[in-house]
Amino acid sequence: MKKIKYAFWCLLLSGCVFGVSQTSKFYSLTPIESKSVSQSADLFIGVDKVDLPKYMDRAQIVTQNKNDTEVFISEYNRWIESPSVLCTRILTQNLNNLLPKSEAKIRTIGSEKFDRRVWVQVIQMDGILGNQAELTAWYTIKNKDGKTIIRQKFSDKIEIAKTYDDLVIGYSKLWEKLSQDIAKHLIQK
């Protein structure tokens, strides 16, 4: 009996000492390659911090099952930074690429005089591995006087394969589409 206890403790300790834990993978959204919507629009655009649902604004990547009833929070597949900050940064980069003569920057102080301000409220940013990624958001564009020019809903889905890499690529494509939609409205008014 004493030998069994000793063997048990040795096995337990060897697992602690020599155990291998899974390494985390970190992901970031990819900005648009140079795809200009307008070569002539010359605007100073302030991008407010993107609002995400609280369950999404975490380091771990969140997915769902096909029934939309269960949520999975991956301990080993993580965003490189807060998703709300990441989405704000990607939107800003995308607008700069889509409107090369304009300057889009993240709005940090209230005293800057922007020609346009953009605010995005994400309602849903969900993914089902091996099925689809989905983005639903409301965006608001205001002029320099603070008057709302447009408030528009964006909703789109894209098929994805089974990995977290595929999910993040899908999200990048959806943010590209949303950014293009916003850029088109920025130059209309």
Side-chain angles (χ1 to χ4, degrees):
M1 186 68 167
K2 202 173 194 180
K3 288 181 182 178
I4 293 175
K5 284 182 182 179
Y6 179 75
F8 171 77
W9 286 110
C10 286
L11 284 173
L12 184 64
L13 286 173
S14 68
C16 294
V17 173
F18 300 111
V20 177
S21 66
Q22 186 175 351
T23 58
S24 294
K25 289 179 74 177
F26 293 90
Y27 295 89
S28 183
L29 297 173
T30 307
I32 293 175
E33 297 291 324
S34 296
K35 287 184 179 179
S36 177
V37 169
S38 170
Q39 290 290 335
S40 61
D42 185 13
L43 298 167
F44 185 37
I45 305 160
V47 179
D48 289 347
K49 186 176 176 191
V50 171
D51 283 340
L52 285 172
K54 295 281 186 222
Y55 77 96
M56 289 293 307
D57 203 10
R58 59 175 54 240
Q60 301 93 342
I61 295 180
V62 178
T63 57
Q64 290 188 309
N65 68 5
K66 290 183 181 180
N67 300 336
D68 289 336
T69 57
E70 188 176 2
V71 175
F72 302 103
I73 299 172
S74 177
E75 221 23 72
Y76 300 106
N77 295 284
R78 296 172 169 259
W79 294 111
I80 197 161
E81 61 186 324
S82 162
S84 59
V85 172
L86 176 61
C87 292
T88 305
R89 190 172 49 76
I90 288 302
L91 175 60
T92 304
Q93 286 178 296
N94 285 350
L95 291 176
N96 278 314
N97 290 341
L98 292 165
L99 304 168
K101 287 201 173 178
S102 296
E103 179 188 354
K105 68 176 273 197
I106 297 171
R107 194 172 85 87
T108 55
I109 55 174
S111 62
E112 291 179 291
K113 301 294 181 197
F114 295 105
D115 298 317
R116 302 281 188 272
R117 279 187 43 211
V118 177
W119 175 64
V120 176
Q121 180 184 23
V122 174
I123 305 302
Q124 183 177 18
M125 188 169 132
D126 293 324
I128 301 170
L129 298 177
N131 190 343
Q132 69 183 17
E134 181 175 4
L135 177 63
T136 302
W138 282 92
Y139 63 87
T140 304
I141 300 173
K142 294 186 177 191
N143 66 14
K144 60 183 160 190
D145 299 323
K147 181 182 174 197
T148 298
I149 296 172
I150 189 167
R151 178 154 167 75
Q152 179 99 11
K153 184 177 181 182
F154 171 88
S155 187
D156 203 354
K157 298 176 183 180
I158 191 166
E159 288 185 27
I160 60 168
K162 297 180 179 183
T163 69
Y164 283 92
D165 290 341
D166 299 318
L167 175 66
V168 173
I169 290 167
Y171 282 153
S172 293
K173 289 178 182 177
L174 290 168
W175 276 96
E176 178 179 334
K177 290 180 178 186
L178 173 60
S179 301
Q180 288 171 335
D181 204 37
I182 291 170
K184 289 175 186 172
H185 284 102
L186 281 167
I187 61 175
Q188 285 179 356
K189 307 263 179 180

